[in-house]
Amino acid sequence: MSVQERKQRERAERERLIVATARELAEQQGWDAVTTRRLAERIEYSQPVLYSHFRGKREIIGAVALEGAAEMAVAVRAATSAANSPRERVTALARAYLDFAARNPAVYDALFQLDGGLAYAQEDTPEPLKDAFAALLESLGEVAGDGVHPGLFTEVFWASLHGLATLTRAGRLLPEDAAQRVELLVDRLAMV
């Protein structure tokens, strides 16, 4: 291994450590607790080392969002792959999405609430974000209905899931009705 390859590997490892530490701190204490000073202390590197990887907190949030998007795509695909019918796939998708949001609140915020400097729904949208949407579209596109654009239907269904995730997390919805909400969403919006 050349010196340059070793340095690139070490740089990638530091970057992963920064992102993992930011994510851990955000999950434990919220994104307000994630500062470059605190991250530098936790990973035992100087702040200039952090700035050599990320220009600031916004880019760190973006990196966490990209990592989270990839994880969410994997979770949705894993949940839907075992389903035998469109209804089962859409139900599994909804449950996997809501479960991901509940288990990873800081990551979910990085993806959908905070400014990570990422382009959404544009030509230059990063691949992990496109793939997360594609994971939803794979199951939802088949139930969009006649004359309904599959991507548009996926956006509306996704918006509904996002609303449920956000309102549930904020304590605005009764937790005991969660399963009924998913069934209603599948029955009435996806009509499967």
Side-chain angles (χ1 to χ4, degrees):
M1 174 180 299
S2 73
V3 172
Q4 183 177 353
E5 288 173 327
R6 182 182 52 78
K7 285 184 178 184
Q8 287 175 338
R9 188 186 70 216
E10 289 171 354
R11 180 172 175 75
E13 287 173 9
R14 271 194 315 272
E15 197 164 294
R16 280 191 295 274
L17 178 61
I18 293 166
V19 171
T21 304
R23 183 174 173 169
E24 178 184 317
L25 187 56
E27 292 292 0
Q28 292 171 353
Q29 299 177 31
W31 278 105
D32 287 342
V34 179
T35 64
T36 53
R37 174 174 283 151
R38 199 174 267 175
L39 284 174
E41 290 171 2
R42 283 207 174 191
I43 64 172
E44 298 178 348
Y45 283 104
S46 67
Q47 284 182 294
V49 169
L50 263 74
Y51 285 118
S52 74
H53 290 273
F54 300 99
R55 286 183 287 199
K57 183 175 175 177
R58 181 178 187 220
E59 284 189 4
I60 294 169
I61 290 169
V64 170
L66 293 176
E67 189 175 273
E71 291 171 9
M72 186 171 67
V74 167
V76 166
R77 286 187 175 111
T80 59
S81 69
N84 295 316
S85 70
R87 179 182 178 69
E88 286 180 15
R89 272 188 291 286
V90 173
T91 300
L93 177 148
R95 288 180 180 150
Y97 183 98
L98 294 170
D99 183 57
F100 180 86
R103 284 184 298 106
N104 304 284
V107 172
Y108 193 81
D109 284 349
L111 269 165
F112 302 120
Q113 304 288 350
L114 302 173
D115 179 9
L118 303 174
Y120 285 78
Q122 297 175 22
E123 293 262 338
D124 60 341
T125 297
E127 283 306 314
L129 298 178
K130 288 179 181 179
D131 189 52
F133 185 79
L136 300 176
L137 180 63
E138 289 162 12
S139 293
L140 294 170
E142 70 179 319
V143 299
D146 294 336
V148 178
H149 188 279
L152 183 61
F153 179 78
T154 300
E155 289 173 350
V156 171
F157 198 92
W158 169 32
S160 298
L161 288 173
H162 176 69
L164 289 175
T166 303
L167 291 169
T168 299
R169 189 165 136 208
R172 304 293 198 270
L173 301 175
L174 295 173
E176 60 268 17
D177 294 334
Q180 287 178 290
R181 283 187 202 94
V182 168
E183 292 302 316
L184 184 60
L185 186 61
V186 171
D187 286 343
R188 300 302 167 104
L189 188 58
M191 295 193 283
V192 288

